[in-house]
Amino acid sequence: MRVLGVNAIFHDPAAALVIDGEIVAAAEEERFSRRKHGKRPVAFSSWELPELSAAWCLKHAGLTPSDIDVVAYSYDPRLVRPADSMGLDDPWDHLRTMYASRAPEFLANALPGLDAGSVTYVPHHVAHAASASLAAPMRDSSVLVLDGRGEACSHLAGSYRDGELKVLAAQGLPHSLGLLYEELTEHLGFLRSSDEYKVMALASYGTPRFAREMAEAIRSTGDGGFEVAPIEWSTLTKPREATAEWTTEHADLACSVQRRLEEVLLELACWLYEQTGDRALTMAGGVALNCVANSRIAREGPFEEVWVQPAAGDAGTALGGALHVAQARGDRISPMPGADLGREWSDDDLQAWLTTAKVPFTRPADIAEEIAAALAHDCVVAWFQGRSEYGPRALGHRSLLAHPGYARNLERLNDVKGREQFRPIAPMVLAERASEIFDGPLPSPYMLFVHDVAPAWRERIPAVVHVDGTARIQTVDRATEPLMAQVLEAFDRRTGLPVVVNTSLNTAGRPMVDDPRDALECFGSTPVDVLALGPFVVSRKGWQAA
Ligand SMILES: [Fe+2]
């Protein structure tokens, strides 16, 4: 069965293709349109479809729209109630419902040849849940979806047995941990539905001074759900203007909400475990990108293992919707092979791009050794290899790499990317060396947990140690990421450090680099020293390995 999954309703539009239960391709529209998050999550934009990513998924598999058996659309307009009856203040929400209802016609128009009758609706949180449990390496698991909102709910707790979901709890709107965090993000002067991870980073600089107020407002209800009372943010701290400096008060508010979120999520996880007794928990939904909360669930929660969908935000519902339909119609689902499900180019194509751009380049005998030498020499490297990542994390396919041993590389990379200086940069580490240096859930191939850095290592890799002594690591397994592992091994031989700085290859406000043109534009406009485009190396300084 050929199932095309589509996410279009709020933001992070994306497409995914599942054929006979195998995940063949998945990509976010922003990587094609070059507009971060694809669109703003307003009702007016709900008609916009992931046209470019959907067309690419089909092309990648050599299919045309008429070859698709089912299109899974990850929002079911039949489940929506009028916004005011759900306690939401959105006079335009009915547009969302109308556009979703007309999505079959929109899709048939965007993908000529597609049968509008092939479009089926998958409830938003069922799609999130499937993106976690059906894509995870374990067959059966409990599942938590932690979201801003779906049709009429903001969360789902359930369990999967042999691919079948049993829903055990679903919190109705307006109570929403995701919308709470979005409100806080806006109050602190960041972009709502986009910059929540900045608030999480800011929280590390604060103390939970408003713990009592948060404990009164945000409570689990003992039945798998929770309540979030309206919070008058301005009575706690003044709002921050987007261009103003943040203060201790702002960090304290971020810290207070973050801690309370973690506590409530732990209670939800405990309740779910009491119902299921499962060994493993899988998670998705935008709140499941909160790697600090994930780590507390993994460390302090009752489940032995926690697996989080790397595209935990709404982009992942394209994949989850497709997996849900494929499973429901009898296909046996294969777990997600990795997050590298996007576009790639042949060596010949990459060479043609470089030739067209008229930039001098070399083809070293061993690209891993060459780049390890450049990193040891303290170069910043733009690293473009293989298929691009699905989800918000760069995982060694579209990455900026640097030496972790120099504290100033944090500022240097934040400058390259135009990022706030309070934000940390993350390390990648050889999987078999991770436990020496980092204490936390292992392996961690998708950067969805934070780890404590061993005291003896903090001074050796200062660029990647956050103010609270933690790091959001990516473990690199030689079996699944052989080239990246070779770079780390070669860097370790030269420096004694099996760790390299890894941050996403993009500049401020832009989506991650996806195609070779993006890579050349990014390299050309930033103080990056070396670009590794497949096997080719472009060096700004004319730097060469000794
Ligand atoms: Fe969602």
Side-chain angles (χ1 to χ4, degrees):
M1 170 148 310
R2 295 158 172 168
V3 187
L4 179 69
V6 166
N7 172 56
I9 195 72
F10 297 110
H11 61 160
D12 295 323
L17 184 63
V18 173
I19 300 180
D20 299 333
E22 300 278 342
I23 302 168
V24 172
E28 296 186 51
E29 189 72 1
E30 65 161 25
R31 310 289 159 85
F32 296 77
S33 69
R34 312 308 301 157
R35 185 179 182 202
K36 195 153 183 167
H37 296 299
K39 57 183 175 181
R40 292 299 297 148
V42 293
F44 309 99
S45 72
S46 300
W47 66 270
E48 291 182 42
L49 297 166
E51 296 180 32
L52 300 169
S53 44
W56 170 76
C57 284
L58 296 179
K59 185 174 160 219
H60 175 76
L63 302 178
T64 65
S66 61
D67 296 323
I68 292 297
D69 297 309
V70 184
V71 178
Y73 184 93
S74 59
Y75 189 82
D76 189 340
R78 296 164 298 189
L79 302 177
V80 182
R81 290 185 284 113
D84 52 359
S85 78
M86 297 191 290
L88 297 181
D89 179 21
D90 185 350
W92 305 106
D93 198 51
H94 62 283
L95 287 180
R96 199 171 267 129
T97 308
M98 182 186 75
Y99 290 144
S101 304
R102 302 303 297 268
E105 290 81 19
F106 288 158
L107 278 159
N109 184 268
L111 299 168
L114 188 86
D115 175 10
S118 70
V119 178
T120 188
Y121 296 111
V122 178
H124 188 71
H125 291 149
V126 171
H128 270 308
S131 80
S133 289
L134 295 182
M138 59 288 284
R139 180 72 180 153
D140 294 333
S141 65
S142 296
V143 63
L144 264 181
V145 174
L146 304 160
D147 208 15
R149 67 163 288 195
E151 294 87 355
C153 294
S154 73
H155 126 290
L156 179 153
S159 70
Y160 272 89
R161 293 282 176 280
D162 293 325
E164 296 284 334
L165 171 65
K166 183 176 175 192
V167 177
L168 298 168
Q171 179 56 54
L173 292 168
H175 303 283
S176 167
L177 297 170
L179 294 181
L180 166 84
Y181 218 87
E182 286 185 18
E183 277 180 23
L184 171 68
T185 301
E186 191 170 26
H187 186 74
L188 294 178
F190 300 107
L191 184 61
R192 187 183 179 127
S193 295
S194 174
D195 291 348
E196 282 68 26
Y197 58 102
K198 297 183 186 179
V199 175
M200 189 187 73
L202 188 60
S204 305
Y205 292 84
T207 55
R209 184 148 57 97
F210 305 106
R212 185 179 53 81
E213 289 87 343
M214 293 306 122
E216 283 170 8
I218 311 159
R219 305 185 305 111
S220 59
T221 45
D223 56 358
F226 51 86
E227 286 175 356
V228 181
I231 297 173
E232 292 293 332
W233 299 103
S234 294
T235 63
L236 303 171
T237 64
K238 283 191 194 136
R240 185 183 76 94
E241 297 291 328
T243 53
E245 289 293 313
W246 60 269
T247 65
T248 309
E249 277 201 337
H250 297 128
D252 287 349
L253 184 60
C255 180
S256 306
V257 177
Q258 173 69 31
R259 292 280 174 85
R260 188 60 188 151
L261 173 76
E262 294 162 17
E263 290 163 5
V264 170
L265 293 186
L266 269 168
E267 288 168 12
L268 296 182
C270 287
W271 179 88
L272 182 55
Y273 180 77
E274 281 167 17
Q275 315 306 309
T276 68
D278 278 330
R279 197 186 70 79
L281 172 68
T282 56
M283 298 200 295
V287 181
L289 290 171
N290 191 309
C291 49
V292 176
N294 293 351
S295 297
R296 284 198 64 184
I297 293 170
R299 277 174 200 266
E300 300 170 40
F303 293 95
E304 259 179 63
E305 192 176 356
V306 179
W307 189 89
V308 184
Q309 162 58 239
D314 275 1
T317 65
L319 176 62
L323 291 174
H324 174 78
V325 167
Q327 158 73 29
R329 303 200 181 196
D331 285 346
R332 181 147 186 104
I333 306 299
S334 298
M336 189 167 177
D340 52 329
L341 299 167
R343 288 188 289 179
E344 71 177 331
W345 281 261
S346 69
D347 291 353
D348 286 349
D349 285 342
L350 294 175
Q351 187 165 0
W353 274 98
L354 289 164
T355 304
T356 302
K358 292 189 177 170
V359 291
F361 63 91
T362 59
R363 181 170 191 159
D366 186 332
I367 184 75
E369 283 291 341
E370 179 87 0
I371 293 308
L375 291 167
H377 201 70
D378 203 21
C379 290
V380 172
V381 175
W383 177 251
F384 181 108
Q385 303 292 339
R387 298 183 73 172
S388 59
E389 295 92 343
Y390 184 51
R393 306 278 187 256
L395 300 166
H397 292 245
R398 302 291 186 272
S399 288
L400 272 174
L401 308 177
H403 196 309
Y406 304 112
R408 64 183 160 72
N409 277 346
L410 168 61
E411 193 176 327
R412 196 171 159 209
L413 282 177
N414 277 339
D415 283 346
V416 166
K417 298 183 43 145
R419 296 182 359 152
E420 298 87 348
Q421 290 300 347
F422 66 83
R423 290 173 53 197
I425 47 175
M428 52 169 57
V429 57
L430 279 171
E432 68 267 28
R433 301 288 302 279
S435 63
E436 283 172 47
I437 308 168
F438 303 105
D439 179 22
L442 295 172
S444 182
Y446 299 127
M447 298 175 76
L448 290 160
F449 299 94
V450 292
H451 297 67
D452 288 325
V453 183
W457 279 87
R458 289 185 188 176
E459 299 222 324
R460 298 182 68 186
I461 51 172
V464 295
V465 183
H466 195 30
V467 62
D468 56 4
T470 64
R472 187 183 63 188
I473 73 169
Q474 177 194 354
T475 53
V476 175
D477 187 327
R478 193 174 280 103
T480 49
E481 294 288 348
L483 182 60
M484 201 69 254
Q486 283 170 35
V487 173
L488 284 161
E489 282 166 8
F491 185 75
D492 186 23
R493 278 199 302 278
R494 287 165 188 271
T495 63
L497 304 173
V499 177
V500 163
V501 174
N502 167 38
T503 184
S504 56
L505 181 54
N506 64 329
T507 48
R510 306 249 173 132
M512 263 208 281
V513 159
D514 202 81
D515 75 10
R517 180 198 294 270
D518 306 332
L520 284 161
E521 286 179 356
C522 182
F523 178 68
S525 63
T526 55
V528 171
D529 302 307
V530 173
L531 166 65
L533 194 71
F536 306 105
V537 170
V538 183
S539 176
R540 193 182 300 284
K541 290 178 182 167
W543 182 88
Q544 287 199 317

